Amino acid sequence: MAEAERIIGTPDTPDDDHQQTAAAGAAVGAQAAGASGEAGTDDATGRQTARKPGRGRRIAVLFSVAAFAYALDLISKMLVVARLEGRAPIRVVGDLLELHVIRNPGAAFSFGAAFTVIFSLIAAIVIVVIIRLARKLYSFPWAIALGLLLGGALGNLTDRIFRAPGVFEGAVVDFIAPKGFAVFNLADSAIVCGGILIVVLSFYGLDPDGTVHKD
């Protein structure tokens, strides 16, 4: 009798069948979630929650725009310092626009010349804040705006660190001189354009995370 039971085997109980089916279903669900990469798990409820796609692309746009703005500003300053500094202004559009190299210890458009160190620290803080904000970035327009701000801040901060008279006290190179207006550079232009775009996006209720709110 014992030998017969050994050969035939003990049949599975209903509870065993249920446990095996549940385990198999959990394994299939885990594999499907891992393959799709589009769902997460709520720790409190165990329910599947959708993730927003595209953050990686938005971050890539942000840093690409920042790198382009920074490179353009850096190259333009190197050229004007090497070829135009110490020389008479060059007219570009009659009396309306000239290239005139000056060293500016202040903020954008020559404001606040007595607070060079403070402006350097503010620029460094802005850079850190933008990099931290990138973790929650899902908006393409916000990626462009923050990229312009980041590139411009890096451009002027580079001058303040590496140019005379010293670290965090360096004078920024300005060379774009419209008639009746302050002399500025491409980093200043990037910062202003990025700021204007942020104001427009905020006016229309678009947040960096891609959501739209209406007041």
Side-chain angles (χ1 to χ4, degrees):
M1 184 68 178
E3 183 66 19
E5 289 179 352
R6 185 184 67 80
I7 296 174
I8 297 174
T10 304
D12 294 332
T13 63
D15 290 340
D16 292 338
D17 291 341
H18 178 72
Q19 292 175 358
Q20 292 175 359
T21 302
V28 172
Q31 291 176 357
S36 64
E38 298 295 333
T41 301
D42 189 331
D43 293 336
T45 63
R47 292 178 297 180
Q48 295 294 318
T49 57
R51 294 177 183 171
K52 294 181 180 179
R55 186 184 69 171
R57 293 192 295 271
R58 304 302 184 266
I59 294 177
V61 170
L62 187 157
F63 287 108
S64 296
V65 172
F68 178 77
Y70 176 69
L72 202 60
D73 177 70
L74 186 63
I75 293 171
S76 65
K77 289 174 179 175
M78 293 174 61
L79 289 175
V80 298
V81 167
R83 300 184 179 184
L84 300 179
E85 190 170 26
R87 300 180 181 180
I90 297 178
R91 293 183 176 181
V92 179
V93 185
D95 293 333
L96 298 178
L97 180 63
E98 295 180 340
L99 296 181
H100 180 202
V101 181
I102 66 170
R103 299 293 182 115
N104 171 26
F109 308 113
S110 303
F111 295 121
F115 302 99
T116 305
V117 175
I118 295 177
F119 290 131
S120 300
L121 294 177
I122 292 175
I125 292 172
V126 168
I127 292 170
V128 172
V129 170
I130 292 175
I131 293 175
R132 290 178 61 87
L133 186 60
R135 297 181 301 175
K136 300 180 180 180
L137 185 63
Y138 290 94
S139 168
F140 183 78
W142 269 94
I144 296 176
L146 294 178
L148 290 171
L149 286 180
L150 180 58
L154 284 171
N156 283 339
L157 184 60
T158 299
D159 280 0
R160 299 189 190 282
I161 294 175
F162 295 105
R163 297 191 186 276
V167 178
F168 289 115
E169 296 181 351
V172 175
V173 175
D174 290 335
F175 59 91
I176 304 173
K179 183 178 180 180
F181 197 70
V183 184
F184 59 97
N185 57 43
L186 295 183
D188 298 333
S189 301
I191 292 172
V192 171
C193 291
I196 292 174
L197 182 54
I198 287 176
V199 171
V200 172
L201 295 174
S202 300
F203 178 79
Y204 284 101
L206 180 62
D207 292 332
D209 63 358
T211 60
V212 179
H213 68 272
K214 294 182 180 180
D215 296 332

